[in-house]
Amino acid sequence: MPKLTVNDVEVEVEDGSTVLHACEAAGVEIPRFCYHDRLSIAGNCRMCLVDMERAPKPIASCAMPAGDGMVIRTDTDRVKKAREGVMEFLLINHPLDCPICDQGGECDLQDQAMGYGFDGSRFSENKRAVENKHMGPLISTVMTRCIHCTRCVRFATEVAGVPELGAIGRGESMEITTYLEKTLASELSANVIDLCPVGALTSRPYAFAARPWELNKVETIDVMDALGSNIRVDARGAQVMRVLPRLNEDINEEWISDKTRYAIDGLRRQRLDKPYARGRDGRLHPVSWDEALKSLATALRKAKPNAIGAIAGNQADAESLYALKSLMTRLGSPNLDCRQDGAKIGGNRAGYLFNSTIAGIDDADALLIIGSNPRIEAAVLNARIRRNWLSSRMPIAVVGPKVDLTYHAVFLGQDPTILDMLAHGSHKFAAKLKKAKRPMIIIGMGALARADGAAMLGKARKIAESYGVVTKEWNGFNVLHNAAARVGGLDLGFLPARGGMDIASMGKAAKAGKLDLLWLLGADEIDFEPFASSFVVYQGHHGDAGAHHADLVLPGAAYTEKDGIYVNTEGRVQYATRAAFPPGDAREDWAIIRAVSGAVGKSIGFDTLAELREALCADHPHFADADTIAPAKWASFGGRAKLSAEPIGQAFDNFYMTCAISRASETMAECVRASSADHGAAVAAE
Amino acid sequence: MSIEARIADEQPETFKFSAENEKEIKRIVAKYPKGRQASAVMPLLDLAQRQHDNWIPMKAIELIARKLDMAEIRVLEVATFYTMFNLKPVGKYFLQACTTTPCWLRGSDEMMRCIKDRYAIASGETSECGRFSLLEVECLGACVNAPILQVNDDFYEDLDYASTAALLDSLEADAPLPVGSVMGRSGSEATGGATSLATLKPKQSGVANA
């Protein structure tokens, strides 16, 4: 632990720290462009120069290892002059187009030029100009503004694992580009926009849409996957303009996936803004809330209690799940299911959580992935696996389809018998699991959302127990969900009650004419065919598959339009905050359910969101502890039946379109087109 | 010159190393430890350039990337960093004229003027006849005999307007002058002959251009 003096302040920093870290520890802010905490050190912008005792010239603090007894000064005239010199050089070739630049107002160069910039220019020659590069539908480029910090190059190579960006040429003719100007084939590509300290890489869908100071910024939670990435939603009036990542070291660090960032234009299209009822002509006609509630109340009264079913979708908030469950209980219906894909999970918490926590991935030293493609199911989590692999080269094996995960993995095949072999120890990879001190298993919906899902889960538990995946201080048994609402639903017990039907049985009952009413809470990804004869109520925010098959449509709020609780795949409870109001007559989902309970005359015991949350937390105490994870107790779960011979697949193929919002998004549609055009259909299908 | 202008628009459909070069590649790659084969990228680019009329097509870059387990952009970065790698066709005689300070002080402007007068080409261009390409380069490292013109692999030294013209005449006739100093001095000894160790007989300079 070296001890340094920075501007007469003595600080002690961790081994392996740099002088820049020491300066920060001493409370001195160091200007920088190329240095970034999560990327390798480049040391090429020279903005972080500081004075070191006995050094003949200023040193780049980002690249200088902190040494014991160093005496650093950051407040000398020489340092100021050196930084002003660097700034002057940077500005020589940087255009003066801040007024028309999207980065204006949140630009590192602009900000630091205020501190170190010169008020005029001494450069009377021609400025250099660089042709703009094509980087796909998400990233807009103005390469003349580039200052060659190479953050984007390092991000693509190190974090995203797609070494497609590079700096070609040298000196004055150096340019950042992708090979032959292909689209950057990464689910995390748009993070380079945040990393770019200038306006060279900006957001294409958000181009010239707003200025940062006119936006209302709300810190909330993402629901595009089950990670619960922390995001900031910037809205202007009722319109969500953009989504940015928010720092959370335990979940998304400071990255978000492209879907999280750009599916939001789907919030403006295909919206349900008033209630609809299916008329005698078989078409949906707008109706008033009164009419809608009345007709639903009549239908609910008419239906037999055990012939009412409720299915929750992938983005439902815990409050609406709790409200709907309360209403169903009051109506006497045991038929609830929050597992649209029919996953065979629920019950013991350890059997459906990402037990090691996401941050726990950093500690793993062997990994077995079963029926999951983390790259598209949880892109940010995949980057964490890659980071561990980069430093440790831990053995990784996949039981499932062969795909490019951005790290080296051995594909064992798709045959379920491989799991038997692993459990018996007769497979080659078993030895590697055995040798590992903290082995990890990630099992995805590709294995669990099938008829023999329970047996799969049981088999995975057996493997976990045989190889020390679960010990006193380590639990590496992880279920990777892809639905933001899933863990919340399972925690609340939004599952068939005693004698109740799950989604498959509901379908069977409906076919036999024994399901009078089906309530879909934002459920769009189920097979609607069996429910043709039931009265289907769709409560949700988009005119997607669910609304098309519904007899009554109740317009709800999307995730940016309501306060809600979501539980991520680790079991972490997080509170989302409203950023905009729902359009037209659409209402918050819990309030709709509360209104129906009033119309049907079955009180569910709360009138405000606060009362609802109080009741919810009373029933399920862990919901009161936001941002904490209650470790789940290990117990027996999963089935013991024989596995079917059906090959193990993955949950879905198309990263860009997985929910009603992303299916309505033009940007996502463009991404699908671009990735299939540039990389062939095979990669797009990954 | 922008990067776009440095890469040929028309690219061949395929590129394959010759059997001889494949053998050479094996020898070169074997020099580096396992997992460090990317170190061989520059010799391989050079082989590709020599095999392919003194320029490297993109297909060769992709092939080298595959051979060395590198990302294509990493190979392109190297190929564009060095001016010695040509990414578009050049003439039979590729003239690299040094204009860095010592050559400039010793009259590289005259040498450049002669080339431009003859072929009306600027740096990075190829003459109308297609046989001569000019590239202005930084220090060629032979400042003692400045100014220098590198023709393909050979250095011609001590050039002025007239001697450059004579050199170009010889190239046009495909009978190049002997390489080295056009003044005929041995190595880089003083122009007036050796001033010390005069009793030692120097070796004859100038080897006929192959």
Side-chain angles (χ1 to χ4, degrees), chain A residues 497-510:
Chain A
R498 192 179 292 271
M501 295 183 279
D502 66 1
I503 193 163
S505 323
M506 280 188 237
K508 267 184 217 146

Side-chain angles (χ1 to χ4, degrees), chain A residues 131-133 153 157 163-170 173-175 177-182, chain B residues 1-4 6-7 58-59 61-62 71-74 76-77 80-84 138:
Chain A
E131 276 181 53
N132 294 342
K133 304 288 184 286
V153 177
T157 309
E164 291 175 5
L165 269 177
I168 62 173
R170 68 167 166 186
S173 52
M174 180 163 157
E175 294 179 13
T177 184
T178 51
Y179 187 76
L180 301 180
E181 303 205 17
K182 276 191 211 163
Chain B
M1 202 185 344
S2 78
I3 295 299
E4 287 84 1
R6 275 187 62 192
I7 298 175
M58 296 304 264
K59 286 282 173 224
I61 287 182
E62 286 154 30
E72 290 162 350
I73 186 78
R74 295 282 101 81
L76 185 66
E77 279 179 337
T80 54
F81 186 89
Y82 295 98
T83 54
M84 301 79 178
E138 300 306 326

Side-chain angles (χ1 to χ4, degrees), chain B residues 45-210:
Chain B
L45 282 168
D46 181 56
L47 280 180
Q49 175 161 311
R50 281 171 195 283
Q51 182 186 315
H52 195 264
D53 285 338
N54 213 5
W55 72 283
I56 306 169
M58 296 304 264
K59 286 282 173 224
I61 287 182
E62 286 154 30
L63 177 66
I64 291 170
R66 279 199 301 280
K67 276 189 181 298
L68 301 179
D69 197 17
M70 295 169 76
E72 290 162 350
I73 186 78
R74 295 282 101 81
V75 182
L76 185 66
E77 279 179 337
V78 176
T80 54
F81 186 89
Y82 295 98
T83 54
M84 301 79 178
F85 293 125
N86 301 317
L87 299 174
K88 65 176 184 183
V90 291
K92 181 178 180 192
Y93 297 105
F94 181 45
L95 313 176
Q96 301 183 58
C98 175
T99 54
T100 309
T101 317
C103 280
W104 174 65
L105 287 171
R106 294 266 295 158
S108 65
D109 284 354
E110 285 300 293
M111 173 177 86
M112 289 292 277
R113 190 164 63 84
C114 177
I115 299 170
K116 284 178 182 174
D117 283 355
R118 271 180 174 246
Y119 306 116
I121 48 174
S123 177
E125 292 176 0
T126 300
S127 67
E128 220 154 82
C129 64
R131 302 201 333 133
F132 293 87
S133 296
L134 174 66
L135 187 67
E136 202 177 327
V137 296
E138 300 306 326
C139 188
L140 288 172
C143 313
V144 276
N145 291 9
I148 313 291
L149 183 67
Q150 186 182 349
V151 179
N152 296 341
D153 284 337
D154 300 316
F155 276 15
Y156 289 92
E157 300 149 3
D158 298 321
L159 292 161
D160 54 18
Y161 193 94
S163 54
T164 306
L167 170 64
L168 294 174
D169 280 341
S170 77
L171 293 176
E172 278 178 22
D174 281 327
L177 296 176
V179 302
S181 169
V182 294
M183 296 185 329
R185 62 166 146 167
S186 165
S188 51
E189 80 180 6
T191 43
T195 52
S196 58
L197 302 177
T199 50
L200 289 172
K201 239 189 172 171
K203 277 184 198 155
Q204 202 58 47
S205 76
V207 186
N209 200 346

Side-chain angles (χ1 to χ4, degrees), chain A residues 296-319:
Chain A
L296 179 52
T298 317
L300 281 171
R301 277 198 207 102
K302 225 168 60 187
K304 282 196 282 306
N306 59 0
I308 300 174
I311 298 172
N314 289 350
Q315 296 182 342
D317 52 309
E319 289 93 332

Side-chain angles (χ1 to χ4, degrees), chain A residues 234-372:
Chain A
D234 287 7
R236 190 171 56 189
Q239 205 170 70
V240 173
M241 302 302 290
R242 63 172 176 177
V243 169
L244 295 175
R246 194 151 58 85
L247 182 74
N248 188 328
E249 292 289 352
D250 293 329
I251 304 174
N252 56 314
E253 298 177 275
E254 56 190 274
W255 320 123
I256 51 174
S257 75
D258 290 353
K259 183 165 54 180
T260 300
R261 194 185 297 262
Y262 285 126
I264 48 155
D265 65 331
L267 290 171
R268 291 172 220 156
R269 305 178 69 234
Q270 303 262 347
R271 286 307 298 270
L272 300 171
D273 56 356
K274 43 175 126 17
Y276 288 88
R278 199 169 291 281
R280 284 180 201 286
D281 58 355
R283 290 163 175 261
L284 288 171
H285 297 284
V287 292
S288 71
W289 268 112
D290 273 348
E291 291 168 285
L293 291 175
K294 224 174 263 169
S295 78
L296 179 52
T298 317
L300 281 171
R301 277 198 207 102
K302 225 168 60 187
K304 282 196 282 306
N306 59 0
I308 300 174
I311 298 172
N314 289 350
Q315 296 182 342
D317 52 309
E319 289 93 332
S320 61
L321 288 167
Y322 182 74
L324 187 54
K325 188 188 171 196
S326 308
L327 179 60
M328 286 295 147
T329 313
R330 281 284 282 141
L331 289 167
S333 162
N335 310 320
L336 298 161
D337 208 339
C338 65
R339 302 160 302 185
Q340 281 195 89
D341 51 8
K344 301 287 181 288
I345 42 174
N348 190 299
R349 260 189 125 216
Y352 63 81
L353 289 189
F354 203 94
N355 288 301
S356 73
T357 75
I358 294 169
I361 292 172
D362 299 342
D363 301 324
D365 55 0
L367 175 60
L368 174 66
I369 299 173
I370 306 168
S372 175

Side-chain angles (χ1 to χ4, degrees), chain A residues 358-393:
Chain A
I358 294 169
I361 292 172
D362 299 342
D363 301 324
D365 55 0
L367 175 60
L368 174 66
I369 299 173
I370 306 168
S372 175
N373 178 349
R375 180 169 174 183
I376 62 171
E377 289 172 29
V380 176
L381 180 141
N382 199 52
R384 219 184 253 264
I385 300 176
R386 178 178 155 80
R387 185 175 59 198
N388 182 332
W389 171 82
L390 271 181
S391 61
S392 71
R393 300 278 154 173

Side-chain angles (χ1 to χ4, degrees), chain A residues 486-527:
Chain A
R486 188 63 53 84
V487 175
L490 296 173
D491 277 359
L492 292 172
F494 201 94
L495 295 165
R498 192 179 292 271
M501 295 183 279
D502 66 1
I503 193 163
S505 323
M506 280 188 237
K508 267 184 217 146
K511 263 195 164 163
K514 286 181 188 149
L515 192 76
D516 297 339
L517 189 143
L518 179 67
W519 188 320
L520 301 173
L521 180 62
D524 291 298
E525 287 90 11
I526 58 169
D527 179 14

